[in-house]
Amino acid sequence: MRGLGPALTARRLFPLRLCPRPPRPVGPRLSSGSAAAEDGALERAMDELLRRAVPATPAYELREKTPAPAEGQCADFVSFYGGLAEAAERAELLSRLARGFGVDHGQVAEQSAGVLQLREQPREAAVLLQAEDRLRYALVPRYRGLFHHISKLDGGVRFLVRLRADLLEAQALKLVEGPHVREMNGVLKGMLSEWFSSGFLSLERVTWHSPCEVLQKISESEAVHPVKNWMDMKRRVGPYRRCYFFSHCAAPEEPLVVLHVALTSEISSNIQAIVKECPPSETEERSKISAAIFYSISLTQPGLQGVELGTVLVKRVLKELQKEFPHLGTFSSLSPIPGFTKWLLGLLNTQAKEHGRNELFTDSECKEISEITGGPINETLKVFLSSSEWVKSEKLVRALQAPLLRLCAWYLYGEKHRGFALNPVANFHLQNGAVIWRINWMADVSLKGITGSCGLMVNYRYYPGATATNSTSYLCSKSIKASEQVLSLVAQFQKNSKL
């Protein structure tokens, strides 16, 4: 078996199956006093557990001579955590771990002063390097030692993936907040990134003859375009389709991230044509395959969010398809635009509050849309776009096509978060080195597509020879590459808007 780094083996990666968290007893608590006592007892149990389970940081001189803590200490933490039934209880334990067992700031200050003092005095390089090593050692938080030793337990890495998923959920729900929690999340993410680096990942293709368990996991993990039944699943892994996933080399056939690809004659502009229509024949004809369309990518483990498995998977699959189809030169996604409708409704709401101010539509568009909807454009569109009923009006669909296309172009190209694309899917593909190539009208007429992005989808095109340059340009200079169609729509938006 391929090496997985210190203490990681196949048994230790994924076989752990934690017992279901026990439910709380049904019925009201006896009194507020008893509830407070119960909470106090739980908090004392948490503090006692952490004092016992989190290993102390050895002195620098003894760092390689101190024996590892007893396996039972880490196992106690895993067992205790698995028994916490409520998200708020797990969040409280993680918060106490982050706040109470991080970096010793006194040691950091002392070692920093030592490094600064040595830099001011002529000393041998070895002395300064050792002082810097002491500083690095002092900067390691105590809870990292706990995570490291848990990873040595059978199924320990699986537990840590689940723990990080809980931590991310608690942050999203604002059950835990603050710099200490964010720092602990970053430390755990860094450790998982090492354990799940590309050298440890195996690319596997899914076919209808793959194990039933794998097909079931792929079906259940599909987050972009849900699989309806087994026949639907059979189409997605059949002729003119490819499905790949990454598994860890220590846990084969355990999907971590899944990518679906359609092999087509041109760059697709409609998702229903991919996920619903049957392929042209049961036997693939290479002459009919001119483009590879990445139409869905799903992470099966929420705790691995941000570990960049998707980026590596897209690049590996692109190379795999080039090997299988040497003539294939066109690679593109057909991607959803989550958040576009929400963003647009926010603009309409703001302008409606400002006494009907309109900076989104031309005068002729306002007149036409108002005649169709029967009222002021901002107010009526807020109502119509909040549901999927508006697509039943052919007149309204035609009237909204031009303005929504340019608004969407601006949303993808111009709306930023810290200088990068606001839309998370756009940000993902742009980081990979893709180009915003084409925005497609009525490309997803499902309920999710209409309510989430007004039926719009976008092609992010991958030019294999330019992806590295484009990625560097985006990450370093925050420069977005886009086609003439998209840039033309952006220019139209800027001409008609004062936003």
Side-chain angles (χ1 to χ4, degrees):
M1 177 182 293
R2 189 172 184 174
L4 297 179
L8 288 184
T9 68
R11 290 183 60 214
R12 287 170 178 156
L13 185 62
F14 277 136
L16 182 66
R17 293 290 187 270
L18 294 178
C19 297
R21 290 172 176 134
R24 283 191 177 279
V26 177
R29 294 178 179 178
L30 295 177
S31 67
S32 59
S34 61
E38 181 181 333
D39 291 340
L42 180 60
E43 290 172 359
R44 288 192 295 274
M46 288 181 180
D47 290 337
E48 175 58 31
L49 169 76
L50 294 175
R51 280 194 294 270
R52 187 174 68 252
V54 182
T57 302
Y60 178 81
E61 292 76 13
L62 301 176
R63 64 194 183 284
E64 295 178 355
K65 301 176 183 178
T66 303
E71 189 173 284
Q73 292 178 229
C74 299
D76 286 347
F77 180 89
V78 172
S79 177
F80 185 95
Y81 186 88
L84 296 175
E86 303 292 336
E89 294 172 346
R90 299 192 294 276
E92 178 61 26
L93 178 60
L94 294 176
S95 179
R96 287 170 181 263
L97 177 62
R99 292 196 314 268
F101 298 86
V103 168
D104 183 336
H105 297 291
Q107 271 294 310
V108 172
E110 181 180 331
Q111 300 303 329
S112 298
V115 170
L116 291 173
Q117 185 177 5
L118 287 172
R119 284 179 60 85
E120 295 172 356
Q121 302 171 356
R123 293 290 182 93
E124 293 183 5
V127 177
L128 178 59
L129 290 173
Q130 186 182 56
E132 290 172 344
D133 192 48
R134 286 176 176 270
L135 175 57
R136 277 192 297 273
Y137 184 70
L139 286 167
V140 177
R142 277 184 65 185
Y143 50 69
R144 194 184 194 283
L146 173 65
F147 297 154
H148 173 72
H149 292 297
I150 287 176
S151 75
K152 299 180 182 181
L153 300 176
D154 289 348
V157 175
R158 176 188 286 274
F159 169 80
L160 292 173
V161 170
R162 187 182 108 177
L163 183 145
R164 182 164 183 261
D166 288 344
L167 182 59
L168 292 172
E169 181 184 26
Q171 287 180 292
L173 297 174
K174 298 194 182 302
L175 296 175
V176 291
E177 294 182 277
H180 296 93
V181 171
R182 290 194 296 273
E183 175 67 15
M184 188 170 76
N185 176 50
V187 168
L188 187 51
K189 174 186 169 184
M191 297 176 79
L192 292 171
S193 295
E194 293 180 6
W195 296 330
F196 290 88
S197 63
S198 59
F200 298 147
L201 302 176
S202 300
L203 180 67
E204 302 188 38
R205 180 183 166 189
V206 183
T207 70
W208 188 239
H209 301 292
S210 296
C212 185
E213 294 80 4
V214 172
L215 291 169
Q216 182 73 25
K217 289 174 183 176
I218 298 294
S219 174
E220 291 173 350
S221 68
E222 175 53 41
V224 185
H225 307 290
V227 178
K228 295 182 179 180
N229 49 46
W230 281 111
M231 288 305 296
D232 189 6
M233 188 68 209
K234 186 176 183 180
R235 279 196 300 271
R236 299 193 191 196
V237 298
Y240 297 97
R241 300 291 182 267
R242 295 292 184 272
C243 178
Y244 299 92
F245 68 86
F246 267 150
S247 64
H248 199 283
C249 60
E253 299 184 350
E254 180 79 27
L256 302 174
V257 60
V258 184
L259 178 64
H260 289 269
V261 185
L263 303 175
T264 62
S265 60
E266 59 184 2
I267 296 180
S268 303
S269 61
N270 184 280
I271 191 61
Q272 275 70 42
I274 291 177
V275 298
K276 288 189 174 182
E277 295 180 9
C278 293
S281 66
E282 287 297 317
T283 304
E284 289 181 353
E285 297 181 36
R286 287 180 172 251
S287 61
K288 294 182 178 180
I289 298 174
S290 301
I293 309 301
F294 309 132
Y295 68 91
S296 174
I297 185 165
S298 299
L299 187 67
T300 68
Q301 305 287 337
L304 295 177
Q305 182 180 322
V307 178
E308 294 192 356
L309 297 177
T311 295
V312 181
L313 180 58
V314 168
K315 293 177 180 178
R316 287 273 291 274
V317 167
L318 194 151
K319 291 180 180 178
E320 190 72 15
L321 291 171
Q322 286 178 315
K323 291 179 185 177
E324 185 179 1
F325 303 99
H327 70 284
L328 193 60
T330 302
F331 301 90
S332 174
S333 78
L334 180 59
S335 301
I337 312 172
F340 172 64
T341 301
K342 181 179 180 180
W343 172 81
L344 179 56
L345 290 174
L347 291 184
L348 293 171
N349 188 54
T350 299
Q351 299 211 354
K353 288 179 179 179
E354 296 180 5
H355 308 290
R357 180 169 66 93
N358 170 51
E359 294 181 348
L360 304 179
F361 305 92
T362 65
D363 292 341
S364 60
E365 288 169 348
C366 283
K367 181 180 179 182
E368 182 182 8
I369 294 170
S370 295
E371 288 176 355
I372 296 171
T373 59
I377 187 169
N378 291 328
E379 292 292 348
T380 55
L381 276 186
K382 279 169 51 184
V383 175
F384 275 90
L385 297 180
S386 295
S387 74
S388 61
E389 294 298 309
W390 64 274
V391 296
K392 296 179 181 179
S393 169
E394 292 184 9
K395 288 184 178 180
L396 186 55
V397 169
R398 284 196 303 270
L400 287 176
Q401 181 174 355
L404 291 194
L405 279 171
R406 66 173 183 264
L407 282 162
C408 185
W410 176 256
Y411 171 68
L412 295 173
Y413 184 86
E415 289 294 317
K416 305 291 180 62
H417 174 65
R418 296 179 180 174
F420 298 104
L422 173 67
N423 183 267
V425 179
N427 188 52
F428 169 78
H429 287 288
L430 292 169
Q431 284 187 31
N432 293 346
V435 173
I436 308 178
W437 190 70
R438 185 177 67 197
I439 300 172
N440 305 291
W441 180 244
M442 289 293 111
D444 184 0
V445 293
S446 68
L447 178 62
K448 183 178 180 181
I450 296 298
T451 55
S453 57
C454 299
L456 290 156
M457 297 189 78
V458 56
N459 300 115
Y460 297 101
R461 189 162 176 181
Y462 286 79
Y463 296 93
T467 53
T469 302
N470 291 344
S471 176
T472 300
S473 179
Y474 179 67
L475 293 172
C476 297
S477 305
K478 301 176 181 177
S479 173
I480 294 177
K481 300 291 184 181
S483 68
E484 290 185 7
Q485 183 236 24
V486 174
L487 293 176
S488 175
L489 290 169
V490 169
Q492 292 175 36
F493 171 86
Q494 292 173 321
K495 179 181 178 181
N496 290 287
S497 173
K498 299 185 181 113
L499 292 178

